[in-house]
Amino acid sequence: MRVVAQRVARASVTVDGVRVAKIGLGFLLLVGIGASDAEDEVDRLAEKIAGLRVFADADGKMNLALDDVGGAALVVSQFTLYGELRKGRRPSWTAAADPEVAAERVEAFAQALENRGVRVARGVFGAHMEVELLNDGPVTLVLDADRVST
């Protein structure tokens, strides 16, 4: 499982001209599920992200978590995080999970965040989404379940 976490002042998702989700201050979370990912990765990454201290405190230091700043998360599925580019110029997607598995795990991840008190908005799995965001910082972190502990 891979997550690109971007600290945002605001973010939204539009599908077919209709805004389906939006948040203010918080994280835009681009979530990719790999074919070999274990189910427990969902909880480990949700725990890590819910507790990330990358929001500014009164002294301007990155010392606060989502809950501390009243932030939210916008979860957007992104199978392209598993694009393989070792050969040629056209990515291979064979490392990405099958859509049925990925949809279930992305939703489980969103629910795991909610279980930790995070307000969560969601993109639409499998849809062509227009994602708008205003980066705050910018602060962007790449979390790969193989390299993240709680």
Side-chain angles (χ1 to χ4, degrees), residues 55-140:
F55 295 91
D57 64 14
D59 296 324
K61 294 185 180 186
M62 286 196 277
N63 200 29
L64 301 177
L66 270 176
D67 187 49
D68 299 324
V69 297
L74 175 53
V75 173
V76 175
S77 63
Q78 182 128 17
F79 76 95
T80 60
L81 292 177
Y82 278 90
E84 177 58 56
L85 296 166
R86 286 185 207 170
K87 294 182 182 179
R89 295 187 179 151
R90 183 176 180 180
S92 167
W93 313 114
T94 59
D98 289 334
E100 301 79 25
V101 171
E104 180 181 298
R105 296 257 174 91
V106 170
E107 179 56 28
F109 174 70
Q111 289 177 0
L113 287 168
E114 288 174 330
N115 292 343
R116 288 161 175 80
V118 177
R119 287 180 294 116
V120 177
R122 294 161 172 80
V124 178
F125 186 90
H128 180 91
M129 294 177 272
E130 295 174 357
V131 180
E132 292 187 64
L133 67 142
L134 179 59
N135 272 326
D136 182 20
V139 173
T140 302

Side-chain angles (χ1 to χ4, degrees), residues 6 13 28-29 33 39 42-43 57 60 72 109 138-139 146-147:
Q6 295 181 297
V13 172
L28 169 62
L29 302 172
I33 307 298
E39 288 185 41
V42 165
D43 283 322
D57 64 14
F109 174 70
V139 173
D146 295 341
R147 297 183 177 131

